[in-house]
Amino acid sequence: MREFRFRLERILSIRRHKTKEAEIELARVDGECLQLERRIQELQEERRAVYHGGLGADLEFRVAQAAYIERLGAALEESGRRLDERAAERERLRESYRELAREEQVLDKLRERRADEHYRAERADELSEMNEIGVNITARRNKNRGTPPK
């Protein structure tokens, strides 16, 4: 039986590689988004703690506290802006990954179909060959017996 060779194997391999790269990039950006979300949550908790801490403290403490709360607010805004940018990039990468995965899947299905066709044809050829051998053996036996073949 001949071995099946898919003529588009190189293209399938390249598509698999591109899909894997897209998956890795998507995971990286997804990780950055999760990290930014955690950072935002930490900043919010810290701002709440600073705001509620030091009740009854002197005026100098209150001024420093207000400046720190303002700085935390600015950090929150910056983190939120970066999160929005990364989330938009994540969606773009997700769509790109889906498209690459779809293209890979199409080629993979084609490969499977062609392999099935190849092996079916090979089995049919083998069966035909075996039938021919059987007919030749029967013809030789009949010839040796002196009876005409049917």
Side-chain angles (χ1 to χ4, degrees):
M1 183 180 286
R2 292 177 312 159
E3 182 181 338
F4 171 70
R5 294 190 48 86
F6 185 53
R7 290 184 5 218
L8 302 175
E9 191 68 44
R10 277 191 177 300
I11 294 172
L12 179 58
S13 175
I14 290 169
R15 288 208 177 146
R16 282 184 179 147
H17 183 71
K18 284 182 179 181
T19 302
K20 190 65 175 171
E21 284 180 340
E23 183 179 16
I24 290 168
E25 183 66 14
L26 177 60
R28 185 186 64 76
V29 171
D30 199 34
E32 289 176 11
C33 287
L34 290 173
Q35 198 172 28
L36 284 167
E37 288 169 356
R38 276 194 301 270
R39 177 71 178 142
I40 289 170
Q41 189 176 21
E42 289 170 359
L43 287 169
Q44 288 171 338
E45 290 172 5
E46 186 174 351
R47 185 171 67 175
R48 245 187 318 274
V50 169
Y51 184 76
H52 294 298
L55 297 175
D58 64 350
L59 184 60
E60 192 175 308
F61 176 79
R62 287 289 187 190
V63 170
Q65 183 184 31
Y68 186 60
I69 289 172
E70 190 175 318
R71 196 175 100 208
L72 287 173
L76 264 169
E77 283 182 28
E78 174 64 20
S79 294
R81 185 189 59 74
R82 287 179 48 213
L83 177 60
D84 290 343
E85 289 173 0
R86 301 316 275 167
E89 183 178 358
R90 176 175 52 186
E91 285 308 310
R92 182 185 59 76
L93 288 172
R94 186 173 286 145
E95 187 56 39
S96 173
Y97 170 74
R98 284 184 191 133
E99 183 63 32
L100 288 170
R102 204 173 302 125
E103 290 173 3
E104 177 189 336
Q105 188 178 26
V106 165
L107 267 182
D108 206 31
K109 293 261 187 216
L110 178 63
R111 182 185 188 285
E112 287 175 15
R113 203 170 330 144
R114 294 262 172 90
D116 286 346
E117 290 170 2
H118 171 79
Y119 289 120
R120 273 195 214 114
E122 285 293 313
R123 277 188 239 118
D125 288 347
E126 268 185 28
L127 186 60
S128 174
E129 204 173 293
M130 296 299 249
N131 285 341
E132 190 175 319
I133 290 171
V135 166
N136 287 339
I137 289 172
T138 303
R140 263 189 263 139
R141 282 185 187 156
N142 288 339
K143 186 177 180 182
N144 289 340
R145 289 186 188 159
T147 57
K150 291 184 182 183

